[in-house]
Amino acid sequence: MTSRREFISTATLAAAGVALAPLAACSQERAPAKAAATAAVAPPKPGTLITRTIPSSGEKIPVIGLGTSGSFEVGSDAGERAPLREVLEAFVAGGGTLIDTAPTYGTAEDVLGDLMAQTGTRGKLFIATKLSGVTGKDEGIKQFNDTLRRLRTDKVELLQVHNLRDTATQIALARELKAQGKTKYTGLTHYREDGQAQLAEEMRKHKPDFIQINYSPVSRGAEQTVFPLAQELGCAVMINRAFEDGRLISQVRDKPLPPWAKDVGADSWAQLFLKFVLSHPAVTVVIPATSKVRHQVDNLRAGTGSLLDAKQRDALIAALA
């Protein structure tokens, strides 16, 4: 991912622990299904991490998660893994819980499993992984068992069918594993706007606990069908590609923040992009990936304070046009 402009104040892990210690979960209920795409509830107290409700269970999770695609795909060298350990520790210290990964993200599951074991953080985390690139029940079972080994755990919180591959078979398997206590929730994922029509079709068929899809100020197709359907069916919504794989950060590299950024407590463009995503009432959690602790601290700040209202959302969209 393209590096962010160094307009984020420098942060060390020690500083992160102090600054983010107050970010305990604070309830923020989702707006009604037909509400406008703005934060429709009072913001939490400054410094607390907003939470949203998983509709199928009522469980609350923090709105800032952590992705592992690319960022956690490193080797076994201690020097390569040290920054990721800092990222994980800062994420947990800041109140984050949901980490999204997949068996097809190179070494990401191995690295995450090792780091959770080293830091003793598994019990504090909500692990989301996937049945990815497999066909048939036997392949799915084999892959899932390998995932548990790689993650050094005996269960995961969320098991998703990745990019709608062999959906009917794999979602049925995920439900079997849920019944066995091997996962708590099931889900469906995609990452491109041209996959959203198929995602909506599969959502209607299978009514998963979670769906995962791309969304950003410049990729808003999910607003048309996927988000309203998720609200209708009671699906939690996880957002990927909120920075457009780094392209949004590059686009604003030399631009000053808009004056209204201070009104929502944002001091970086990255925070504004994440707050934009979270200001849609259908969204439950967003999963930006990073291998830098200062970016992890910055991402967590986006999950505190106020979100964007309709006017601010329009202004951000216009700034990127």
Side-chain angles (χ1 to χ4, degrees), residues 10 50 54 87 106 108 110 121 130 147 154 179 186 192 197 212 229 237 255 258 267 272 297 318:
T10 57
I50 300 165
I54 300 170
V87 165
D110 301 280
T121 52
K130 305 175 182 79
T147 280
D154 60 355
T186 64
R192 297 196 315 263
Q212 181 180 151
L229 184 58
V237 175
K255 293 184 178 182
D267 54 22
L272 287 182
V297 173

Tab-separated table of all heavy atoms in Angstrom, residues 10 50 54 87 106 108 110 121 130 147 154 179 186 192 197 212 229 237 255 258 267 272 297 318:
chain	number	residue	atom	x	y	z
A	10	THR	N	4.135	11.885	14.661
A	10	THR	CA	4.880	10.670	14.946
A	10	THR	C	4.403	10.076	16.258
A	10	THR	O	4.005	10.776	17.174
A	10	THR	CB	6.382	10.968	15.022
A	10	THR	OG1	6.602	11.965	16.008
A	10	THR	CG2	6.915	11.444	13.684
A	50	ILE	N	-15.871	3.860	19.246
A	50	ILE	CA	-17.269	3.585	18.936
A	50	ILE	C	-17.471	2.083	18.717
A	50	ILE	O	-16.599	1.411	18.177
A	50	ILE	CB	-17.688	4.336	17.658
A	50	ILE	CG1	-17.518	5.848	17.834
A	50	ILE	CG2	-19.127	4.005	17.269
A	50	ILE	CD1	-17.573	6.615	16.523
A	54	ILE	N	-23.800	-6.244	16.081
A	54	ILE	CA	-23.992	-7.308	15.096
A	54	ILE	C	-25.469	-7.700	15.155
A	54	ILE	O	-25.932	-8.203	16.186
A	54	ILE	CB	-23.108	-8.521	15.412
A	54	ILE	CG1	-21.621	-8.124	15.394
A	54	ILE	CG2	-23.377	-9.663	14.440
A	54	ILE	CD1	-20.690	-9.199	15.918
A	87	VAL	N	2.136	-3.157	15.743
A	87	VAL	CA	0.802	-2.845	15.224
A	87	VAL	C	-0.264	-3.597	16.017
A	87	VAL	O	-1.281	-3.022	16.427
A	87	VAL	CB	0.713	-3.195	13.724
A	87	VAL	CG1	-0.740	-3.236	13.246
A	87	VAL	CG2	1.505	-2.192	12.898
A	106	GLY	N	-1.149	-15.316	1.609
A	106	GLY	CA	0.235	-15.699	1.832
A	106	GLY	C	0.474	-16.257	3.219
A	106	GLY	O	-0.181	-17.210	3.651
A	108	ALA	N	-0.061	-14.616	6.039
A	108	ALA	CA	-0.739	-13.764	7.027
A	108	ALA	C	-1.291	-14.552	8.210
A	108	ALA	O	-1.158	-14.123	9.362
A	108	ALA	CB	-1.851	-12.965	6.363
A	110	ASP	N	-0.263	-17.440	9.416
A	110	ASP	CA	0.858	-17.923	10.225
A	110	ASP	C	1.419	-16.804	11.094
A	110	ASP	O	1.677	-16.991	12.293
A	110	ASP	CB	1.980	-18.459	9.321
A	110	ASP	CG	1.519	-19.587	8.433
A	110	ASP	OD1	1.445	-20.727	8.921
A	110	ASP	OD2	1.234	-19.320	7.251
A	121	THR	N	-2.627	-12.312	23.131
A	121	THR	CA	-3.789	-11.474	22.831
A	121	THR	C	-4.972	-12.224	22.216
A	121	THR	O	-6.006	-11.612	21.959
A	121	THR	CB	-3.380	-10.338	21.868
A	121	THR	OG1	-2.700	-10.899	20.740
A	121	THR	CG2	-2.461	-9.346	22.570
A	130	LYS	N	-11.512	-16.963	6.324
A	130	LYS	CA	-12.334	-17.292	5.166
A	130	LYS	C	-12.120	-18.719	4.683
A	130	LYS	O	-11.068	-19.318	4.928
A	130	LYS	CB	-12.012	-16.317	4.024
A	130	LYS	CG	-12.160	-14.848	4.418
A	130	LYS	CD	-11.728	-13.925	3.314
A	130	LYS	CE	-11.842	-12.476	3.768
A	130	LYS	NZ	-10.699	-12.091	4.636
A	147	THR	N	-6.212	-23.726	8.674
A	147	THR	CA	-6.330	-22.358	9.197
A	147	THR	C	-6.240	-22.345	10.719
A	147	THR	O	-5.542	-21.511	11.304
A	147	THR	CB	-7.652	-21.726	8.731
A	147	THR	OG1	-7.488	-21.255	7.385
A	147	THR	CG2	-8.055	-20.546	9.593
A	154	ASP	N	-8.474	-22.934	18.330
A	154	ASP	CA	-9.382	-24.045	18.071
A	154	ASP	C	-10.718	-23.593	17.487
A	154	ASP	O	-11.592	-24.411	17.207
A	154	ASP	CB	-9.620	-24.855	19.350
A	154	ASP	CG	-10.224	-24.028	20.478
A	154	ASP	OD1	-10.371	-22.787	20.304
A	154	ASP	OD2	-10.537	-24.601	21.532
A	179	ALA	N	-22.467	-24.674	13.963
A	179	ALA	CA	-23.224	-25.570	14.841
A	179	ALA	C	-22.306	-26.375	15.750
A	179	ALA	O	-22.680	-26.736	16.878
A	179	ALA	CB	-24.095	-26.507	14.006
A	186	THR	N	-21.181	-16.550	10.364
A	186	THR	CA	-20.853	-16.875	8.980
A	186	THR	C	-20.986	-15.621	8.125
A	186	THR	O	-21.733	-14.697	8.466
A	186	THR	CB	-21.775	-17.969	8.427
A	186	THR	OG1	-23.132	-17.475	8.404
A	186	THR	CG2	-21.699	-19.226	9.277
A	192	ARG	N	-15.049	-5.897	-5.049
A	192	ARG	CA	-15.174	-5.018	-6.219
A	192	ARG	C	-16.646	-4.679	-6.460
A	192	ARG	O	-17.539	-5.463	-6.152
A	192	ARG	CB	-14.629	-5.691	-7.482
A	192	ARG	CG	-13.159	-6.013	-7.466
A	192	ARG	CD	-12.675	-6.306	-8.892
A	192	ARG	NE	-13.595	-7.186	-9.619
A	192	ARG	CZ	-13.442	-8.503	-9.742
A	192	ARG	NH1	-12.409	-9.102	-9.164
A	192	ARG	NH2	-14.318	-9.220	-10.420
A	197	ALA	N	-23.713	-7.114	-7.421
A	197	ALA	CA	-25.011	-7.693	-7.802
A	197	ALA	C	-25.067	-9.164	-7.400
A	197	ALA	O	-26.082	-9.632	-6.861
A	197	ALA	CB	-25.230	-7.534	-9.305
A	212	GLN	N	-19.007	-8.671	3.638
A	212	GLN	CA	-17.846	-7.794	3.521
A	212	GLN	C	-17.779	-7.278	2.088
A	212	GLN	O	-17.916	-8.055	1.140
A	212	GLN	CB	-16.561	-8.557	3.864
A	212	GLN	CG	-15.314	-7.686	3.780
A	212	GLN	CD	-14.031	-8.422	4.109
A	212	GLN	OE1	-12.961	-8.077	3.600
A	212	GLN	NE2	-14.109	-9.446	4.970
A	229	LEU	N	-29.986	-3.747	1.550
A	229	LEU	CA	-30.337	-5.159	1.725
A	229	LEU	C	-29.762	-5.697	3.027
A	229	LEU	O	-30.428	-6.479	3.735
A	229	LEU	CB	-29.816	-5.969	0.535
A	229	LEU	CG	-30.179	-7.453	0.516
A	229	LEU	CD1	-31.691	-7.652	0.536
A	229	LEU	CD2	-29.554	-8.122	-0.713
A	237	VAL	N	-22.019	-5.406	8.434
A	237	VAL	CA	-21.298	-5.023	7.222
A	237	VAL	C	-19.860	-4.657	7.567
A	237	VAL	O	-19.609	-3.742	8.352
A	237	VAL	CB	-21.984	-3.833	6.523
A	237	VAL	CG1	-21.155	-3.370	5.319
A	237	VAL	CG2	-23.394	-4.199	6.092
A	255	LYS	N	-2.579	18.116	-0.355
A	255	LYS	CA	-3.735	18.959	-0.062
A	255	LYS	C	-3.891	19.178	1.434
A	255	LYS	O	-3.734	18.243	2.228
A	255	LYS	CB	-5.020	18.319	-0.602
A	255	LYS	CG	-5.101	18.240	-2.110
A	255	LYS	CD	-6.453	17.669	-2.542
A	255	LYS	CE	-6.570	17.618	-4.052
A	255	LYS	NZ	-7.903	17.095	-4.476
A	258	PRO	N	-9.558	19.883	4.984
A	258	PRO	CA	-10.625	20.887	4.949
A	258	PRO	C	-10.826	21.483	6.338
A	258	PRO	O	-10.611	20.807	7.354
A	258	PRO	CB	-11.851	20.087	4.508
A	258	PRO	CG	-11.534	18.666	4.831
A	258	PRO	CD	-10.049	18.529	4.686
A	267	ASP	N	-7.460	14.793	12.313
A	267	ASP	CA	-6.252	15.538	11.980
A	267	ASP	C	-5.437	14.849	10.889
A	267	ASP	O	-4.243	15.089	10.745
A	267	ASP	CB	-5.392	15.804	13.222
A	267	ASP	CG	-5.067	14.545	13.998
A	267	ASP	OD1	-5.116	13.453	13.411
A	267	ASP	OD2	-4.763	14.661	15.197
A	272	LEU	N	-10.399	11.022	7.959
A	272	LEU	CA	-11.602	11.478	7.266
A	272	LEU	C	-12.177	10.373	6.379
A	272	LEU	O	-13.392	10.179	6.332
A	272	LEU	CB	-11.299	12.717	6.425
A	272	LEU	CG	-11.075	14.019	7.178
A	272	LEU	CD1	-10.841	15.170	6.196
A	272	LEU	CD2	-12.254	14.362	8.093
A	297	VAL	N	-2.231	3.755	15.031
A	297	VAL	CA	-2.731	4.742	15.996
A	297	VAL	C	-3.675	5.716	15.312
A	297	VAL	O	-4.756	6.054	15.822
A	297	VAL	CB	-1.556	5.477	16.670
A	297	VAL	CG1	-2.055	6.621	17.543
A	297	VAL	CG2	-0.726	4.508	17.504
A	318	ALA	N	-16.763	15.726	-3.014
A	318	ALA	CA	-16.409	16.785	-3.963
A	318	ALA	C	-14.912	17.040	-3.991
A	318	ALA	O	-14.331	17.328	-5.050
A	318	ALA	CB	-17.161	18.065	-3.613
